[in-house]
């Protein structure tokens, strides 16, 4: 029996606020995706916001459903954010925003110290 290799894709997405790195990963029976910025990421429910927050990473989570799975990074742009890390909250990202709005905040808020939390 031969196992299938997972499929991984990365590409630059152009947004009105600047370029971001979109990634998607899939394998038989599952998938996840993310949009990466210099501040952090907008991703699906596989990411743990508590751990990300310990490292000072802004993370905004959207969750897909069986009817509307999040397969590609572009799917995250219209999805609603359901959970955020403390560093993402400090950027003004809130549950209920779209992924597009979260990306905008990550790219447009002036730089601040977001180092690891002790």
């Amino acid at each position: 029996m031969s196992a299938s290799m997972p499929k991984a894709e990365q590409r630059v997405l152009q947004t009105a606020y600047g370029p971001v790195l979109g990634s998607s990963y899939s394998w038989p029976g599952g998938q996840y995706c993310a949009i990466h910025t210099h501040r952090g990421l907008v991703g699906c429910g596989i990411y743990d916001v508590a751990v990300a927050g310990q490292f000072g990473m802004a993370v905004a989570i959207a969750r897909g459903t069986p009817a509307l799975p999040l397969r590609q990074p572009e799917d995250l742009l219209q999805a609603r954010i359901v959970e955020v890390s403390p560093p993402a909250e400090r950027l003004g990202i809130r549950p209920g925003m779209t992924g597009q709005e979260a990306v905008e905040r990550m790219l447009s808020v002036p730089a601040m110290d977001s180092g690891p939390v002790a």
Side-chain angles (χ1 to χ4, degrees), residues 67-115:
L68 293 170
L70 301 173
R71 296 184 186 278
Q72 296 298 320
E74 293 86 353
D75 297 339
L76 293 163
L77 295 173
Q78 298 308 312
R80 291 287 170 184
I81 300 302
V82 298
E83 188 177 8
V84 298
S85 67
E89 285 179 337
R90 290 193 292 273
L91 295 175
I93 300 169
R94 304 281 182 261
M97 288 181 153
T98 65
Q100 179 74 36
E101 292 167 323
V103 166
E104 174 185 4
R105 295 297 299 171
M106 287 183 187
L107 295 178
S108 65
V109 172
M112 63 178 79
D113 180 22
S114 61

Side-chain angles (χ1 to χ4, degrees), residues 23-48:
S23 60
S24 64
Y25 305 89
S26 62
W27 58 93
Q31 75 278 331
Y32 69 98
C33 57
I35 296 172
H36 304 270
T37 74
H38 69 285
R39 282 279 175 69
L41 64 89
V42 175
C44 65
I46 197 167
Y47 295 97
D48 186 322

